[in-house]
Amino acid sequence: MKYKRENLSATLFILPSFLPLVAFLIVPMLAAVTLSFAQWDLLTPPSWVGLENYFELFKSAVFWQTLKNSIVFILGYLPIVYTLGLAAALALNKKFVGSGLLRAAYFLPVITSWVIVSLLWKWILNPEGGVVNSLLSQIGIQGPGWWTSTTWAMPTVIIASAWKDLGYVMLLLLAGLQSIPPEYQEAAAIDGASKSQILRLITLPLLTPATFFVIVISLINNFQVFDQIYLMTSGGPEGSTSVIVQQIVKNSFDYGRMGYASALSMVLFVIILSITLVQIKLQKRWVNYE
Amino acid sequence: MSKSIHQVNYFQRAFLIIGGVVMLFPFFWMISSSLKNDVEAFATPPTIFPSSPNLDNYRTVAEYLDLKQLFINSMSVSLIVTFLQLLTSSMAGYAFARIRFRGKSIIFMAYLVTMMIPMQVVVVPLFIEMRELNLIDSYLGLGLPMIVSAFGTFFMRQAMMGIPKEIEEAAILDGAGHFRIFSRIAIPLTIPALSALCILAFMSVWNSFLWPLIVLFSPEKMTIPLGLAILHGEHKTDWPMVMAGTTLAVIPIAIVYLLLQRQITQSFLTAGLKG
């Protein structure tokens, strides 16, 4: 009797969240799996094509290009955001006059929307009349075409992304630093260790959980990049900044290829799932928890 | 205690301050550009401060965009969705943390699995579903997929597991049922977690772009990010005017951030470390 009532209460508590979860996440997820085996333009009835979308995808140069772009993006972005974030976190680890203000300055871009961030950087790095190129021309350097150039479009996106995320990475590393007991560093200093030795042999190894978290979260987030690409470059020029999510949107809403777009979604899902699973598995092994 | 690690490191300070200036420069340049006329904005060498600041660009933005409407749209969608997300997350979180029922572990597993599905993976079928339900270009279509968050549920469950059993038992002895315990005990005791979730949910709805871009068409229904994107799309080279638009969009964020700085950074941290 009591147990039945508990079941009823639980149902009432969970339904308001479970129904939307099923309707707007689980059902669409299953639909995406199904659709990835079909061809559908939304106008004529869908037709079953088996694995054809996947075959096409893996043979498509555009698809490999987008994957390569994502990896290039991450390889450019991660070292910048991690090094600068770590430097800022190390310097801000002690409180001093103005440290709160500096933290705020570093964090403001994190809460600013991608639309705003993209437009700001597009203007700053505008090839003509943008402040960076204007200043470069003052010292006799012809500035690059930034987001209009096939070589510079990706660095442009990387700069804007690093600027936006730096404060978040700093925050995570700062929390990591503060969880290291100061006695360790003090003991090493008493034993005559130099500052760089303390950093290299004590601080950094004890910071691995935070570092690991920053890397994983960057990987997961950056494979889903869309807003800044859409606004800054639309994937161009000549596909040099095209990424998976942008291809999904383009194929479904511009070309009406719902099946092919769903196959792309599945690839994205598998990538994110693998990163998450690797994280769960490795976390136990090479992270130096106290 | 050794001196070497507690000394002020001037090199570090200099680095930090230069870094802070670099971080704030884009915001400064945005405001400065928005107050310049078209000629000065593109001038070489650039002028740091506008020589004769004026609000013309703001007037032009106001002609193209119904700013008040955009703000009201963004605000109402964000507030309602955030409220519903907190409600659904805390209710389900309560059930998972405090009620014993059949199938609990399986259902909870479903939540954990869906936490790994990003919105980007399901936009296509979600759009088709909304089209079938006739909810395209409506706030219902925009908001419904965001009123539930598997992460929020997980987060609230963790918070509610921390409520001491004695408090709950005392309430049960007084004849309280689950709804009473939920509203009188669980909610008041998890205010810190709820406010962290509130900040994160509000920000993610307020800043969301991909789903609104797909599901909304009518200009009068659009949210601030969409309005800005359209402003930029239609006036690709009128940068001073676009900067006036982004300045207006930054103002509410900056005000909220100044007021809630500690809570905002804290919520990003708790969510980061527990998620």
Side-chain angles (χ1 to χ4, degrees), chain A residues 11 35 43 69 74 77 113 130 147 164 185 208 238 250 265:
Chain A
T11 314
L35 265 179
L43 305 169
N69 288 343
I74 290 165
Y77 159 95
S113 76
W147 45 270
K164 187 183 193 305
Q185 287 133 332
T208 35
E238 291 166 42
K250 204 172 176 173
S265 305

Side-chain angles (χ1 to χ4, degrees), chain A residues 17 185 273:
Chain A
S17 128
Q185 287 133 332
L273 190 69

Side-chain angles (χ1 to χ4, degrees), chain A residues 254-275:
Chain A
D254 294 352
Y255 307 154
R257 305 187 63 200
M258 300 297 161
Y260 187 70
S262 297
L264 281 167
S265 305
M266 285 305 110
V267 174
L268 175 64
F269 178 64
V270 168
I271 292 173
I272 288 167
L273 190 69
S274 329
I275 299 169

Side-chain angles (χ1 to χ4, degrees), chain A residues 73 114-115 118 157 161 221-235 241-250 253 268, chain B residues 120 123 208-214 226:
Chain A
F73 174 85
W114 256 117
V115 179
S118 306
V157 178
S161 307
N221 288 341
N222 288 328
F223 272 105
Q224 302 171 44
V225 153
F226 172 77
D227 299 4
Q228 65 267 51
I229 299 288
Y230 179 85
L231 288 152
M232 294 182 89
T233 63
S234 313
T241 53
S242 169
V243 290
I244 297 188
V245 180
Q246 185 241 350
Q247 285 298 319
I248 293 173
V249 171
K250 204 172 176 173
F253 302 109
L268 175 64
Chain B
Q120 282 86 334
V123 280
S208 63
F209 182 67
L210 173 62
W211 180 239
L213 177 76
I214 289 170
L226 286 183

Side-chain angles (χ1 to χ4, degrees), chain A residues 51-265:
Chain A
L51 285 170
E52 204 170 296
N53 287 326
Y54 291 96
F55 290 142
E56 186 188 335
L57 194 150
F58 289 117
K59 273 186 280 180
S60 145
V62 176
F63 169 74
W64 292 109
Q65 173 77 33
T66 59
L67 265 196
K68 201 189 108 204
N69 288 343
S70 287
I71 291 165
V72 169
F73 174 85
I74 290 165
L75 288 180
Y77 159 95
L78 205 50
I80 296 177
V81 91
Y82 182 77
T83 319
L84 294 178
L86 180 64
L90 285 169
L92 277 169
N93 196 17
K94 285 151 282 180
K95 279 208 167 70
F96 54 87
V97 185
S99 62
L101 207 67
L102 280 167
R103 272 191 209 196
Y106 283 85
F107 202 73
L108 189 57
V110 176
I111 56 167
T112 309
S113 76
W114 256 117
V115 179
I116 295 173
V117 172
S118 306
L119 295 178
L120 287 190
W121 280 96
K122 224 176 152 176
W123 169 225
I124 287 172
L125 296 176
N126 206 35
E128 270 154 55
V131 60
V132 171
N133 276 8
S134 294
L135 288 175
L136 284 177
S137 79
Q138 289 301 297
I139 52 169
I141 297 174
Q142 161 86 45
W146 298 111
W147 45 270
T148 60
S149 132
T150 46
T151 22
W152 284 92
M154 186 56 90
T156 307
V157 178
I158 291 174
I159 291 171
S161 307
W163 177 77
K164 187 183 193 305
D165 294 346
L166 183 60
Y168 183 52
V169 172
M170 175 198 78
L171 184 76
L172 293 171
L173 293 174
L174 208 47
L177 283 175
Q178 277 162 2
S179 70
I180 300 174
E183 295 83 44
Y184 290 9
Q185 287 133 332
E186 280 160 12
I190 289 167
D191 286 347
S194 72
K195 270 189 185 175
S196 73
Q197 278 175 322
I198 295 177
L199 178 68
R200 208 156 30 86
L201 300 172
I202 296 175
T203 313
L204 288 183
L206 287 173
L207 203 60
T208 35
T211 301
F212 182 72
F213 184 75
V214 167
I215 294 174
V216 169
I217 204 101
S218 301
L219 286 174
I220 293 179
N221 288 341
N222 288 328
F223 272 105
Q224 302 171 44
V225 153
F226 172 77
D227 299 4
Q228 65 267 51
I229 299 288
Y230 179 85
L231 288 152
M232 294 182 89
T233 63
S234 313
E238 291 166 42
S240 59
T241 53
S242 169
V243 290
I244 297 188
V245 180
Q246 185 241 350
Q247 285 298 319
I248 293 173
V249 171
K250 204 172 176 173
N251 274 287
S252 45
F253 302 109
D254 294 352
Y255 307 154
R257 305 187 63 200
M258 300 297 161
Y260 187 70
S262 297
L264 281 167
S265 305

Side-chain angles (χ1 to χ4, degrees), chain A residues 6-7 10 13-14 16-18 23-24 28 106-107 111 113 119-120 122-123 138 163 195 213 224 227 253 265, chain B residues 4 16 19-20 23 30 33 44 88 91 101-102 111 118 120-121 125 127 129-130 148 178 207 232 239 257 272:
Chain A
E6 291 288 274
N7 279 343
F13 271 99
I14 289 180
S17 128
F18 194 63
F24 304 117
Y106 283 85
F107 202 73
I111 56 167
S113 76
L119 295 178
L120 287 190
K122 224 176 152 176
W123 169 225
Q138 289 301 297
W163 177 77
K195 270 189 185 175
F213 184 75
Q224 302 171 44
D227 299 4
F253 302 109
S265 305
Chain B
S4 67
L16 265 183
M23 292 307 282
M30 161 186 87
S33 304
T44 314
T88 57
M91 284 178 75
F101 58 94
R102 221 157 16 135
Y111 275 81
Q120 282 86 334
V121 167
F127 173 81
E129 188 179 344
M130 290 303 171
V148 53
H178 282 298
N207 287 340
H232 169 58
W239 283 104
Y257 183 54

